[in-house]
Amino acid sequence: MSILRSLAIATLALTAIVSNAREMGEPDLASDEFMKRFTATYGVLSEKEPPLNDIEVVMLKKVAPLIRINKTQAQNFLQSMVNSEEKHSASFNYLLGNIYFENNEFLLAENQYKAAIEAFPDFQRAWTNLGVLKLKSGDTKSALIAFLKAVELGDSKSGTFGMLGYCHFAEGNYISAEVAYNRAVLAEPNNLDWLEGKAQTYLKAERYVEAIRMQDELIARRPRHAEYWLAQTNAYLGMKDYEKAARNLEIIRSLGDIDFQSLYLLGGLYGKLEMWIPARDAYLEAAAYARPGDTNFLIQAAKLLSYNKEMESAQQLYSMIDPSGEELSSEALSDFKVVGADLAAHAGDTANAIALLEEAETINPTNGNTLIRLARLHAENGNLAKAYLLLDRAEMDPKSEYNALMTRIKFLIEEERFAESQTFVGRALQLDSNETTKSLYTQIEQAAKASTGQN
């Protein structure tokens, strides 16, 4: 594969995207299982709880059944307790915090947990539930602090270690996340949240081999779960194993769970593998799933096919693109015009190709690639003066300067203006001293001497 073709293919963003409401590996704090565990925290853990006097024991026995059968009455009772000027056990703040939590009154719950901790700093379950509350609000940094304190105070529950693992993961502490997830998985080997979290940790830490092994285990448990196949695709992309990444996406396709982004990625992978017919088919199928905001991606796909001389495929995709949406960027619209110009030029319609390129030029007057294309077409029409003016402008674009110089050199050689072309080859050598340019310089030098009769 040529260097230019490699660069063209590399412009595609080969990154799989898992777009679910809940991130893979994130603890499901809305699940029935979580609520069952949370409700269990209303009990008493005597060795890690604030002390209760005899009157408070009686009151606790009175409020305990109310929490189960009438939370509103229990809340009123506890509110009167904590708002009383009389000293009370931090346990009542904690219990009231739990009721607020269940009622989704999170700020009130946080205030009660913090009051309980202030009164009894070693209140293990208050620290744990404060961590859960902070995690639920997305504040993984504060949740991490709370869970670490809970573990320090003796909390060894698998759920706590699983949530601790997720917080470490979210904060970029991948080694600590792995250790925490290992503790959680050891106690709960069938909890997919912890297995997912561990797999995602390996992926984020770029430990791709381990990530793939973990995802193999998840896939074995839920073989029709497309999210696992897609997560493993990310790991294969990290290893630049494009064949296996494409294989995974084809499996997702066969499951009927494919979407635009996955199909666009699949087309890009087939492009990397220079399998242009499957690439075209993936892009065409992606177009059927496309929303207005996806038009930019389709234009890039058509541009890739056109650049790699897959003109028939590019034409098929191009004809499915509607560039009239408000979401289309000016750059994408310019690219759309350029692809149309390439297709028109391929079909022999030079006039239409020039018209489209001039529209692209109007959108972005400094785009060197557009100016070079336009210069070549004017040169084909015999208007070299116009072509050279366009190349003057193209050479002002650092991204296109080398190609503009090489295009000018080609025109000058065709006019047998060898001495003049030497100056431009010298400039090209300063930008890229590759063997092709060096050889061209030598050949032009010899031709210039021959044209002037020098030995």
Side-chain angles (χ1 to χ4, degrees), residues 24-324:
M24 186 173 135
E26 179 182 356
D28 189 354
L29 302 183
S31 68
D32 292 339
E33 179 62 26
F34 168 76
M35 292 311 299
K36 180 180 176 182
R37 294 186 186 193
F38 182 83
T39 304
T41 69
Y42 280 108
V44 176
L45 188 63
S46 59
E47 69 274 16
K48 298 293 182 182
E49 304 292 301
L52 297 167
N53 59 37
D54 292 342
I55 296 176
E56 288 172 334
V57 170
V58 172
M59 289 181 174
L60 187 60
K61 288 180 179 179
K62 180 179 178 180
V63 78
L66 287 177
I67 290 173
R68 290 193 299 272
I69 62 176
N70 191 335
K71 278 196 171 61
T72 300
Q73 192 174 347
Q75 178 178 323
N76 292 335
F77 179 86
L78 289 167
Q79 282 174 334
S80 66
M81 285 287 298
V82 301
N83 292 331
S84 166
E85 293 183 0
E86 295 184 13
K87 187 176 180 181
H88 61 275
S89 170
S91 295
F92 295 107
N93 297 94
Y94 169 76
L95 292 173
L96 181 57
N98 280 0
I99 293 175
Y100 283 141
F101 188 107
E102 285 196 79
N103 291 338
N104 294 327
E105 298 179 274
F106 300 126
L107 182 58
L108 293 175
E110 180 178 350
N111 290 338
Q112 292 303 319
Y113 289 145
K114 286 182 175 178
I117 290 168
E118 184 178 355
F120 191 76
D122 289 345
F123 200 160
Q124 175 191 302
R125 290 186 305 158
W127 280 108
T128 300
N129 284 12
L130 179 61
V132 173
L133 186 150
K134 287 296 187 181
L135 178 56
K136 193 174 182 69
S137 70
D139 185 356
T140 52
K141 186 173 184 178
S142 297
L144 178 60
I145 293 170
F147 286 135
L148 286 171
K149 184 64 177 179
V151 168
E152 178 188 328
L153 292 170
D155 189 343
S156 59
K157 295 188 295 296
S158 59
T160 302
F161 274 101
M163 290 184 286
L164 177 63
Y166 179 76
C167 290
H168 273 305
F169 167 79
E171 293 300 310
N173 308 326
Y174 302 129
I175 298 298
S176 298
E178 180 188 10
V179 172
Y181 276 131
N182 283 340
R183 288 285 300 269
V185 170
L186 185 64
E188 283 189 298
N190 293 320
N191 189 318
L192 294 182
D193 280 350
W194 314 146
L195 293 172
E196 290 174 7
K198 189 175 177 182
Q200 289 296 87
T201 298
Y202 287 143
L203 182 61
K204 195 73 173 178
E206 300 181 0
R207 295 164 61 181
Y208 298 123
V209 173
E210 291 151 295
I212 289 167
R213 288 172 182 164
M214 281 299 306
Q215 288 148 357
D216 278 338
E217 182 175 343
L218 287 165
I219 288 168
R221 296 186 186 215
R222 298 181 66 187
R224 297 189 61 82
H225 192 53
E227 189 175 345
Y228 293 161
W229 290 103
L230 193 52
Q232 191 177 64
T233 300
N234 271 324
Y236 283 128
L237 286 174
M239 296 179 68
K240 294 183 170 51
D241 191 339
Y242 300 128
E243 289 186 11
K244 288 183 179 177
R247 177 208 66 185
N248 274 25
L249 290 174
E250 287 290 5
I251 291 171
I252 296 171
R253 202 180 192 179
S254 70
L255 292 174
D257 218 351
I258 202 78
D259 59 11
F260 173 84
Q261 291 173 327
S262 296
L263 285 165
Y264 178 75
L265 171 61
L266 182 59
L269 288 168
Y270 281 134
K272 277 280 191 182
L273 297 169
E274 296 193 324
M275 299 170 64
W276 295 109
I277 298 303
R280 176 204 63 192
D281 293 343
Y283 285 141
L284 291 176
E285 189 176 346
Y289 285 86
R291 297 167 297 181
D294 296 326
T295 305
N296 291 336
F297 296 104
L298 292 177
I299 291 172
Q300 290 305 308
K303 184 178 177 181
L304 176 69
L305 292 170
S306 172
Y307 187 91
N308 287 280
K309 306 306 179 186
E310 299 294 324
M311 306 308 286
E312 184 178 342
S313 298
Q315 182 66 65
Q316 285 181 271
L317 182 58
Y318 183 81
S319 65
M320 298 178 70
I321 299 172
D322 178 7
S324 62

Side-chain angles (χ1 to χ4, degrees), residues 351-393:
N352 188 33
I354 289 175
L356 285 167
L357 285 173
E358 286 176 344
E359 290 177 20
E361 179 193 5
T362 301
I363 297 168
N364 186 353
T366 62
N367 187 300
N369 286 328
T370 301
L371 296 169
I372 292 169
R373 280 178 163 84
L374 197 51
R376 287 170 178 163
L377 290 177
H378 279 298
E380 286 178 18
N381 280 349
N383 192 349
L384 279 169
K386 177 71 172 177
Y388 285 130
L389 288 173
L390 289 163
L391 291 175
D392 287 340
R393 290 166 55 196

Side-chain angles (χ1 to χ4, degrees), residues 406-424:
M406 296 302 289
T407 303
R408 182 188 293 272
I409 293 162
K410 178 178 180 295
F411 294 164
L412 290 171
I413 290 173
E414 288 172 352
E415 292 188 275
E416 298 185 2
R417 294 161 63 182
F418 303 116
E420 188 177 346
S421 67
Q422 278 185 284
T423 302
F424 296 101

